[in-house]
Amino acid sequence: MGGIGLEKDPWNVILTGVGGQGNVFASRMLAKMLAAKGLWVTIGETFGATQRGGSVMSHVRVSVDRRLLSPQIPKGAADWVVALEPLEALRVLEGFGSPEVRMVLNDRPVYPMGVIAGEMDYPTQEALRADLDALSKEAFWLDLTGIAKALGSPALASTAILGAFVAKSGLSLTKEDAFLALKDSIPEKKLASNLEAFEAGRLAAGA
Amino acid sequence: MGQNSLKANVWDAGLCTGCGACVGLCPYQGFWEDDVRQVFSCSLSNDEGRCSAYCPRWNLRLSEIYGPPSNKGGSTPELGRIRGYRLARASDPMLRAKAQHGGTLSVLLAMALAQGFADVAVVAGKKESLAMTPALVSSPKEVISYAGSTLFVSPTVSGYHAARKAGFKRIGVVATPCQAQALAKIRSVSERFEDHPGDALSIVLGVFCGWTLSLRPFKERLKELGVGRLVAMDIPAGKGTLEILGDSGLAELPFDGFEPMIREACAFCLDTTAELADISVGSARTNEPWEEMRTWNQVLIRSERGEAFFSQAVELGVLEVREAPRGALEALKTAARAKKQKAIRALRQKTGPGPKLGYLDIQDPFLPKFLEAIETEGGSHEGAH
Amino acid sequence: MKELIEDCPGKRALFLGNEAIARGALEAGLGVAASYPGTPASEILESLALVASEANLYTEWSVNEKVAMEVAAAASFAGIRSLAAMKQNGLHVGSDFLLHLALSGVRAGMVLVFAEDPGAHSSVNEADSRYFSKMLELPLFELSDVESAKEVIKLAFEISEAFKIPVLVRSVTRLSHASGVVELGPLPKPRRNAVFRHEGFILDPDLGAMISAPVPLKRMLLQEKLAGLKARFEEFPLNRYFGPDKPETLLVASSVAVLYAFEAIERLSAWDKAGLLALTTTYPLPEGLLKAHLKAPGRVFIVEEGVSFLEQSLKAFVAEHHGELGQKRFLGKDEGTLPGVGELNVDVVAEALAGALGLSYEPVPKAYASKAAEATLMHAPQRELAFCPGCPHRASFFSVAKALALDGRGGFVCGDIGCYTLAMLPAGFQVIKTLHAMGSGTGLGSGFGKLGRFGFDQRTLSVMGDSTFFHTGLPALINAVHNRSDLLLVILDNQGTAMTGFQPHPGLAFDAEGKGAMAVDIEGVCLAIGAKVFVADPFELQETERLLLGMMGEKGEGVRVLILKQPCALSPQRKGKGAYEVAVDEAVCLGEACGCNRFCTRVFRCPALFWDKNAKKARVDDVLCAGCGVCAQICPSGAIQKKELVWAA
Ligand SMILES: Cc1cc2nc3c(=O)[nH]c(=O)nc-3n(C[C@H](O)[C@H](O)[C@H](O)COP(=O)(O)OP(=O)(O)OC[C@H]3O[C@@H](n4cnc5c(N)ncnc54)[C@H](O)[C@@H]3O)c2cc1C
Ligand code: SF4
Ligand code: SF4
Ligand code: SF4
Ligand code: SF4
């Protein structure tokens, strides 16, 4: 079983962000790494509006045994929220958070259309941080878009956040596991930069 | 709301003249066929917006567009300021043949450009579809190709905006009464805007106007009549008919059939003779047969500038002039007063009881005097304007 | 997708629900698959097409779902196992064929998967199409979880072939688009030899003609098959029971509701009181199995999404056998224990079940829930849907909106199905005023265009995409032309089925497997029908507007077609290759002032344009900008400037 123990069973992780940020890709990669360790994994995701700037969420559920699990995590049952966009984390907490939830957050906002158009306000960093701190047990903020940009593309934030999440949640998953999960699903020329981003995310999170 | 005021109080209320003053300022309004349309909705307020500020059918203060009463030049409530009253026509018969009547307007316009009264002139251009579109003319030679009247609305004032955008600083405009009112309103609010939009207006040549026809029903009628392409149209004096010259020949039809096509907004118009122009030109009314009469214009000279300008045209020999027959001015006054009285009645009916009076600003201290002068049967109070 | 055709029995792979369905078909020896793209079904054919040559399959994106069923049926008639896949609407589109296919029967196993969308995530309906099974007398399987979906599909093929009957399989978004771990089975290497036998006796299922007549005899045969199926389903391995032998309350569930019911019981720790009968074969129902489980409980709670299909069947069944089963109390949709619309989930079922069992369900502490709700309300602005940066539809609808407004004759747009349905929202200037099925925009337009004699003088525009044109738009267009309807049809040709992921359609020169195909020319087809046709590039706003205004037409003018051609911004040919570098010149930008009033961000609303509140200027986000250059044409002050970019071929 590769030595992965779960702090809870089923263990529930929600990855969230905005369409186009690579949320679906990240959830698949996480699930693949865990499945490769012999765990039973499900992903529930909302496609549809993913390419049009809408909110996107993927629910990853992990268990040691094969069992019937709803692909959608029940209310209040998220153990971790991994957010590529901080406002989306807040939205997720309203449905799935609890005082026990922990979070890894990319601090880069992606503004909704109404904000871009100057009709609505995006909350200030402070207000958003205060909300998220009050609604979680722990919240780790990282500049993952910055890390990704330094590696050549803001799109790499999705792999970087996985690295950070793996480090923070104590999953014993390495760059090697990331390699195995990625090698068949992305073009070869993108492999190296994604692995680098994974590793950079891990290090940024203190691994 | 700038645009919302227009939408609720002008367009949807059937008051829009189609003058074009609100068009071409921004992407929110457009002109198509003979109507202004809201294309997208704008959220600016009346204080910020130019469209409502310029519109002659929204919050119009007569005192502001006419300016303070002046002693020079007799001012009549029916016809506005009058410095001179003549019959005139182009000396060149070739030009007259192409013009609506005597070609006075075309001559004056060409001269304005040639003599540097204006760098560009805004005239009504005709499109294939019969719809009108303002055209900018800067060479005197081109003027003649815009001669002749079409009795539909032209968004001429939007051409003034276009000329300003193109960088012209001295712009002449051929304007119907509503268009002349819009230009006067632009002048009166000019200070409110950083770029002083009224400053570029150098001369306004007015066209008399009784009403305009709505384009769509008129086109349908043309189709029914099998007229083909419309070449010219006119209202021969005293005949109660409409002349339509198409490429299949001339038709003279009873006007009754066209009356329902008169643009709704024209029923609320207070001006027949383009009172706010420097010079106003209409068809002549004489005792001669129509064939002769139509080759003359009656001309009202209004401003000092207009007077100087007109004299120059006569001196240069491009205009022939003669005195108007006796009683002609009185007849014109009577007609103009009748139009004003009808419009005030229509406005009263539209706005119902209470102090509101359509597009006229009732705070205007000048308004009661004006109403009294017009509504008092027959009486002509000198100096009301 | 290597794992899809990995012949490595026992290995576990993470599959999308739709991939599990595809794998099931492959393990069953599939030969032919046909589909029409539609969320949430598209990935079934997409993944099969990817492995088509390696697995020696024939796969195609058919022109519509009816033809997909026909293509699949032909394979089955010739002895090749086949699959037709579609979203829920497709079953309705193809139902006429299916009605007859039920009677003619099939030969090699034929499975029809329809993926439904409870909650209407990516549909404009919430169809529950299960009644087709009863109506057409065809067996119905409902998939409940990714892990078992593959097995069910395999069984569906076997049963179809054994009973010579097409099998309907229902998936839903939460299954098709969920992923799970699947244990791979062996991949057969069938030797396929297609032959169509047709010279035997008409009622001979193997040698006769495949015809739905003589109707009474064929129906009798069909009903015999159903009786056999009923018996077969008693032993069906994926009709499962969980819970105590004699529960107080029995939950009966199908589809993903099985998972919700299971987890709800678990979350309420109610396995002592409640049992769960999870059914895969919901038509015809296995009567012995039902009797065995329905005897003990006094209460039966039916958990299903859509209409009360299972609930009604069970009520009828219990009424029929009340002597044996006794009085029951039924809970479900009919009396409101479960909501009548929308999706279910664990919480909805748990709450309902808690109510029924007298338990309480509070998954989140109240204080936390209200704090979270307040923070979201105060600080989380909604994300409105918008066309992508560089989307041709924004440009097209901008011109349509302008032309309609200028024309001023109360014109409106009959919409159709595709990304462009967003034109009912501010994203598309709210011009779409009717929206129904594929091709219906043009059918409705054809009808509106004949109302002139009743005084109707509004202009009618219909829009449809290139894929929709072929799907069902064409008959509607022919109808309009033939009947001289007063219609302006705008075809938004973005060169692919963009909404569902760029599947090819008959207008393109390649097929589902990426091989060369005959491209059918839309313009040529329209001309041949007899419509007046113009073609323009929607990015040329002035020209498009001019054409539209000129084509608005007069009463009784007949059909005009405007084809607006520009590939989708996300299409492989355009993605990452902007035509222009675009920037706002701050010194020129009018911002909020009269003359602009933030036209680009407030009205045009390309997501790559944003309003800088502090500077009070518009800006271009160069990460998001697709470089289409359209905004430079709409800026009233010329502040948006574009510089042409050159890309190496
Ligand atoms: C809508 C309309 C109604 C009129 N009603 C009357 C009336 O009731 N009584 C009367 O005496 N005269 C009326 N006239 C004026 C008359 O038709 C002649 O324009 C006028 O006599 C000048 O003749 P002209 O030969 O000097 O003009 P021309 O030398 O032929 O020049 C005509 C000028 O008028 C402009 N013009 C043409 N059509 C329009 C239009 N639709 N809107 C704005 N400008 C236009 C052209 O650009 C051109 O510059 C009307 C004119 C219009 C346009
Ligand atoms: S307020 Fe200004 S920007 Fe708005 S519609 Fe009027 S003129 Fe245009
Ligand atoms: S009257 Fe003139 S300014 Fe007023 S709304 Fe009509 S066209 Fe615009
Ligand atoms: S449309 Fe042009 S002028 Fe107006 S806000 Fe945008 S960039 Fe500035
Ligand atoms: S060029 Fe303009 S309209 Fe096109 S994607 Fe960029 S910002 Fe949007």
Side-chain angles (χ1 to χ4, degrees):
Chain A
M1 291 263 153
I4 291 219
L6 296 177
E7 45 185 25
K8 249 184 80 216
D9 199 326
W11 189 55
N12 298 323
V13 182
I14 297 182
L15 289 96
T16 188
V18 175
Q21 281 192 309
N23 197 73
V24 173
F25 168 75
S27 63
R28 274 192 92 78
M29 182 174 159
L30 174 65
K32 265 187 148 179
M33 289 192 288
L34 294 167
K37 297 287 175 187
L39 292 162
W40 292 86
V41 193
T42 65
I43 316 174
E45 51 209 350
T46 315
F47 282 32
T50 46
Q51 292 182 325
R52 290 174 207 92
S55 306
V56 188
M57 234 194 316
S58 301
H59 292 197
V60 177
R61 308 191 73 184
V62 195
S63 173
V64 171
D65 304 307
R66 177 175 183 161
R67 55 199 290 181
L68 288 178
L69 281 180
S70 153
Q72 301 303 109
I73 294 170
K75 265 188 199 158
D79 297 302
W80 281 88
V81 173
V82 180
L84 280 161
E85 205 285 341
L87 188 61
E88 292 312 309
L90 183 53
R91 250 192 271 278
V92 166
L93 292 186
E94 190 193 3
F96 305 95
S98 72
E100 297 309 307
V101 72
R102 284 176 287 174
M103 302 196 281
V104 176
L105 301 139
N106 181 20
D107 63 11
R108 272 313 154 90
V110 174
Y111 296 123
M113 202 50 229
V115 174
I116 294 171
E119 287 147 11
M120 298 192 280
D121 288 309
Y122 195 91
T124 60
Q125 270 277 359
E126 298 77 59
L128 195 53
R129 273 183 197 246
D131 284 343
L132 292 172
D133 284 343
L135 292 168
S136 64
K137 188 168 179 185
E138 276 178 297
F140 305 106
W141 292 78
L142 294 161
D143 175 17
L144 293 157
T145 301
I147 291 174
K149 274 189 173 165
L151 293 172
S153 160
L156 293 170
S158 55
T159 0
I161 207 167
L162 272 189
F165 168 61
V166 160
K168 286 294 179 197
S169 63
L171 286 174
S172 46
L173 293 172
T174 61
K175 198 169 163 181
E176 174 67 10
D177 296 312
F179 169 74
L180 292 173
L182 281 176
K183 71 176 190 331
D184 293 331
S185 43
I186 61 171
E188 224 178 295
K189 59 177 184 195
K190 291 191 177 168
L191 195 55
S193 58
N194 272 283
L195 291 174
E196 247 182 284
F198 179 80
E199 201 53 21
R202 255 167 50 94
L203 294 175
Chain B
M1 302 288 196
Q3 186 195 46
N4 284 356
S5 297
L6 294 190
K7 177 149 175 51
N9 303 314
V10 185
W11 303 329
D12 294 352
L15 287 181
C16 172
T17 65
C19 70
C22 61
V23 178
L25 297 166
C26 66
Y28 297 98
Q29 280 92 242
F31 196 92
W32 182 245
E33 303 251 91
D34 61 349
D35 275 310
V36 174
R37 308 271 184 209
Q38 174 184 43
V39 179
F40 296 106
S41 117
C42 172
S43 58
L44 291 183
S45 71
N46 287 319
D47 292 338
E48 298 162 293
R50 290 171 190 257
C51 50
S52 51
Y54 295 173
C55 174
R57 287 298 173 89
W58 186 76
N59 225 23
L60 188 72
R61 280 183 164 235
L62 296 175
S63 59
E64 280 174 14
I65 55 170
Y66 281 96
S70 83
N71 306 323
K72 280 191 260 160
S75 194
T76 68
E78 298 93 346
L79 300 176
R81 282 174 301 177
I82 308 174
R83 283 176 168 273
Y85 175 58
R86 272 333 115 71
L87 295 192
R89 67 178 185 186
S91 311
D92 177 357
M94 296 282 283
L95 201 157
R96 290 207 298 267
K98 284 190 188 151
Q100 184 70 8
H101 298 127
T104 306
L105 267 176
S106 294
V107 165
L108 290 173
L109 201 57
M111 200 195 76
L113 291 171
Q115 301 295 314
F117 281 88
D119 303 330
V120 71
V122 184
V123 295
K126 297 160 194 86
K127 292 201 275 196
E128 189 69 23
S129 63
L130 292 193
M132 316 281 286
T133 183
L136 303 189
V137 180
S138 44
S139 127
K141 273 188 244 133
E142 270 177 71
V143 168
I144 189 65
S145 55
Y146 295 94
S149 307
T150 311
L151 304 177
F152 315 114
V153 148
S154 152
T156 290
V157 185
S158 69
Y160 173 72
H161 303 321
R164 272 195 359 107
K165 236 187 199 168
F168 290 104
K169 301 252 155 25
R170 289 144 45 79
I171 304 165
V173 186
V174 177
T176 58
C178 55
Q179 294 159 358
Q181 281 183 345
L183 291 165
K185 202 177 176 211
I186 292 175
R187 255 192 188 137
S188 77
V189 299
S190 194
E191 298 296 308
R192 268 178 48 195
F193 301 98
E194 252 175 58
D195 57 345
H196 293 201
D199 284 2
L201 192 58
S202 70
I203 189 155
V204 179
L205 298 178
V207 182
F208 289 15
C209 175
W211 37 255
T212 55
L213 294 175
S214 293
L215 192 55
R216 268 189 182 137
F218 184 81
K219 271 164 76 168
E220 261 167 47
R221 180 64 53 81
L222 280 191
K223 227 199 247 167
E224 286 164 24
L225 294 170
V227 168
R229 200 175 60 86
L230 182 74
V231 179
M233 59 199 296
D234 205 350
I235 309 279
K239 291 197 188 171
T241 57
L242 180 68
E243 271 182 13
I244 296 178
L245 180 65
D247 45 16
S248 56
L250 182 74
E252 202 170 333
L253 300 153
F255 187 71
D256 293 356
F258 293 92
E259 208 158 323
M261 295 179 199
I262 292 179
R263 192 183 177 86
E264 189 187 355
C266 294
F268 308 97
C269 178
L270 294 164
D271 186 352
T272 310
T273 56
E275 296 169 25
L276 294 153
D278 293 292
I279 301 178
S280 307
V281 184
S283 72
R285 293 291 182 267
T286 65
N287 301 323
E288 296 141 325
W290 172 238
E291 295 323 312
E292 170 63 15
M293 199 196 317
R294 78 179 319 161
T295 66
W296 287 93
N297 292 110
Q298 48 185 338
V299 180
L300 287 166
I301 299 155
R302 302 185 178 282
S303 67
E304 234 170 284
R305 190 177 176 74
E307 192 165 42
F309 185 65
F310 188 78
S311 327
Q312 198 172 342
V314 178
E315 271 164 37
L316 286 171
V318 288
L319 273 189
E320 275 172 30
V321 202
R322 70 183 230 221
E323 286 307 314
R326 285 186 120 249
L329 187 62
E330 278 313 309
L332 189 58
K333 271 190 187 167
T334 308
R337 170 188 296 275
K339 183 172 170 185
K340 286 189 198 219
Q341 285 176 337
K342 231 166 102 188
I344 291 166
R345 272 202 302 278
L347 283 171
R348 286 231 155 85
Q349 206 176 359
K350 188 162 201 93
T351 20
K356 257 192 100 185
L357 196 55
Y359 56 91
L360 296 173
D361 182 357
I362 48 158
Q363 309 292 342
D364 186 352
F366 183 75
L367 190 61
K369 255 185 166 164
F370 168 75
L371 291 176
E372 196 202 316
I374 291 302
E375 291 189 298
T376 316
E377 203 55 50
S380 172
H381 297 254
E382 282 296 312
H385 279 320
Chain C
M1 217 336 61
K2 238 187 182 162
E3 279 168 326
L4 201 64
I5 44 164
E6 207 168 347
D7 195 10
C8 189
K11 187 187 163 175
R12 290 188 202 164
L14 182 74
F15 279 155
L16 192 66
N18 281 339
E19 291 165 351
I21 292 170
R23 172 74 191 198
L26 289 169
E27 288 184 11
L30 179 78
V32 168
S35 179
Y36 181 82
T39 317
S42 308
E43 297 84 0
I44 300 172
L45 192 100
E46 226 163 50
S47 52
L48 287 169
L50 276 180
V51 301
S53 48
E54 275 168 279
N56 186 25
L57 307 176
Y58 171 69
T59 60
E60 76 168 36
W61 289 118
S62 307
V63 70
N64 63 33
E65 293 89 343
K66 177 166 174 278
V67 176
M69 289 181 197
E70 288 154 355
V71 166
S76 160
F77 294 172
I80 307 288
R81 284 194 172 183
S82 67
L83 175 87
M86 57 207 60
K87 73 179 290 173
Q88 73 272 17
N89 314 44
L91 192 54
H92 297 245
V93 171
S95 59
D96 188 8
F97 174 67
L98 204 55
L99 167 63
H100 298 89
L101 185 67
L103 295 180
S104 78
V106 301
R107 281 188 185 146
M110 174 176 168
V111 173
L112 194 159
V113 180
F114 61 106
E116 303 208 303
D117 193 15
H121 296 281
S122 41
S123 308
V124 288
N125 67 75
E126 222 185 6
D128 178 347
S129 312
R130 291 177 294 171
Y131 272 107
F132 270 114
S133 63
K134 270 193 187 177
M135 214 162 80
L136 306 180
E137 299 174 303
L138 290 174
L140 171 68
F141 293 5
E142 297 191 51
L143 304 177
S144 57
D145 55 283
V146 179
E147 292 80 353
S148 68
K150 194 201 71 178
E151 292 314 309
V152 175
I153 295 287
K154 260 164 83 171
L155 288 166
F157 272 101
E158 270 164 38
I159 283 168
S160 165
E161 193 155 309
F163 288 82
K164 307 219 174 305
I165 193 168
V167 173
L168 302 179
V169 177
R170 181 199 195 209
S171 179
V172 292
T173 303
R174 296 300 184 187
L175 179 105
S176 278
H177 280 178
S179 301
V181 176
V182 174
E183 221 166 66
L184 302 185
L187 274 184
K189 298 251 174 327
R191 255 186 295 139
R192 302 191 186 100
N193 187 21
V195 185
F196 178 44
R197 294 179 209 284
H198 49 70
E199 270 147 8
F201 175 53
I202 183 121
L203 292 180
D204 186 325
D206 292 310
L207 302 172
M210 299 304 280
I211 288 173
S212 64
V215 176
L217 294 179
K218 290 282 181 154
R219 269 202 78 196
M220 271 165 55
L221 278 180
L222 179 57
Q223 286 171 359
E224 274 169 28
K225 291 177 188 176
L226 278 183
L229 283 163
K230 224 179 220 181
R232 174 79 179 258
F233 291 165
E234 298 291 355
E235 301 303 320
F236 196 81
L238 284 146
N239 289 332
R240 295 170 284 184
Y241 177 75
F242 309 92
D245 282 347
K246 292 187 162 49
E248 269 170 47
T249 302
L250 177 70
L251 282 75
V252 184
S254 67
S255 180
V256 289
V258 166
L259 306 179
Y260 305 152
F262 187 94
E263 206 166 340
I265 300 174
E266 199 140 275
R267 285 189 50 99
L268 293 169
S269 308
W271 285 118
D272 56 333
K273 300 191 190 74
L276 168 63
L277 181 60
L279 291 175
T280 295
T281 60
T282 49
Y283 186 79
L285 285 168
E287 300 192 347
L289 184 77
L290 288 187
K291 277 186 192 161
H293 289 286
L294 283 169
K295 223 169 258 168
R299 230 168 13 180
V300 183
F301 181 10
I302 296 97
V303 187
E304 63 187 324
E305 290 177 313
V307 295
S308 57
F309 173 77
L310 194 53
E311 187 174 343
Q312 291 284 326
S313 305
L314 286 183
K315 282 175 176 169
F317 181 79
V318 168
E320 203 177 330
H321 301 280
H322 77 279
E324 217 173 316
L325 299 174
Q327 199 78 9
K328 307 282 164 203
R329 200 173 146 221
F330 283 93
L331 305 177
K333 284 175 175 282
D334 287 344
E335 40 60 73
T337 305
L338 289 176
V341 297
E343 267 192 313
L344 296 179
N345 57 39
V346 174
D347 300 295
V348 171
V349 178
E351 216 157 291
L353 183 59
L357 298 178
L359 303 170
S360 86
Y361 180 64
E362 195 187 305
V364 190
K366 277 206 181 71
Y368 182 92
S370 60
K371 212 161 48 174
E374 194 192 314
T376 312
L377 185 73
M378 300 293 294
H379 292 149
Q382 282 301 316
R383 291 193 190 271
E384 115 194 9
L385 293 182
F387 289 122
C388 306
C391 176
H393 296 324
R394 181 182 304 97
S396 297
F397 285 112
F398 181 82
S399 299
V400 167
K402 266 188 94 172
L404 282 173
L406 286 173
D407 180 75
R409 284 179 284 177
F412 57 93
V413 175
C414 297
D416 222 301
I417 304 299
C419 291
Y420 46 93
T421 54
L422 281 187
M424 63 185 175
L425 306 175
F429 316 100
Q430 288 169 297
V431 295
I432 284 186
K433 302 299 181 189
T434 75
L435 184 60
H436 301 81
M438 296 275 292
S440 296
T442 305
L444 286 168
S446 175
F448 277 120
K450 290 307 294 181
L451 297 178
R453 76 169 63 176
F454 307 113
F456 185 84
D457 56 4
Q458 290 161 280
R459 301 282 81 203
T460 309
L461 252 88
S462 295
V463 295
M464 64 166 141
D466 39 347
S467 188
T468 308
F469 177 82
F470 295 106
H471 181 278
T472 30
L474 194 48
L477 178 60
I478 292 174
N479 190 69
V481 171
H482 174 68
N483 292 303
R484 293 182 188 280
S485 177
D486 182 3
L487 173 69
L488 169 52
L489 169 65
V490 178
I491 298 179
L492 304 164
D493 183 356
N494 61 358
Q495 282 145 58
T497 316
M499 180 144 193
T500 48
F502 302 104
Q503 295 82 0
H505 59 61
L508 303 175
F510 58 96
D511 65 12
E513 297 166 15
K515 298 183 191 130
M518 282 293 290
V520 179
D521 174 31
I522 296 179
E523 184 184 351
V525 171
C526 293
L527 283 170
I529 293 169
K532 277 181 226 161
V533 186
F534 291 88
V535 184
D537 174 358
F539 283 178
E540 301 297 330
L541 294 181
Q542 276 192 2
E543 172 66 3
T544 305
E545 184 188 325
R546 191 189 64 80
L547 277 170
L548 278 167
L549 277 166
M551 292 171 82
M552 283 291 169
E554 299 303 325
K555 230 172 176 174
E557 186 160 334
V559 176
R560 295 88 65 201
V561 176
L562 176 62
I563 304 175
L564 293 177
K565 259 193 188 169
Q566 178 65 241
C568 171
L570 300 176
S571 65
Q573 62 270 48
R574 275 192 59 210
K575 205 171 174 180
K577 294 191 197 103
Y580 301 97
E581 195 180 294
V582 178
V584 174
D585 181 342
E586 267 196 40
V588 181
C589 173
L590 292 171
E592 286 168 319
C594 173
C596 180
N597 189 14
R598 301 197 284 106
F599 190 64
C600 57
T601 53
R602 209 176 56 82
V603 177
F604 188 65
R605 288 174 110 79
C606 170
L609 291 163
F610 70 95
W611 177 243
D612 183 334
K613 274 200 160 145
N614 301 321
K616 296 206 173 286
K617 299 285 171 189
R619 291 193 201 296
V620 175
D621 180 332
D622 52 10
V623 174
L624 293 177
C625 174
C628 67
V630 174
C631 54
Q633 299 170 56
I634 61 108
C635 171
S637 69
I640 306 182
Q641 292 171 352
K642 55 180 195 186
K643 203 172 83 198
E644 200 157 347
L645 294 174
V646 184
W647 294 93

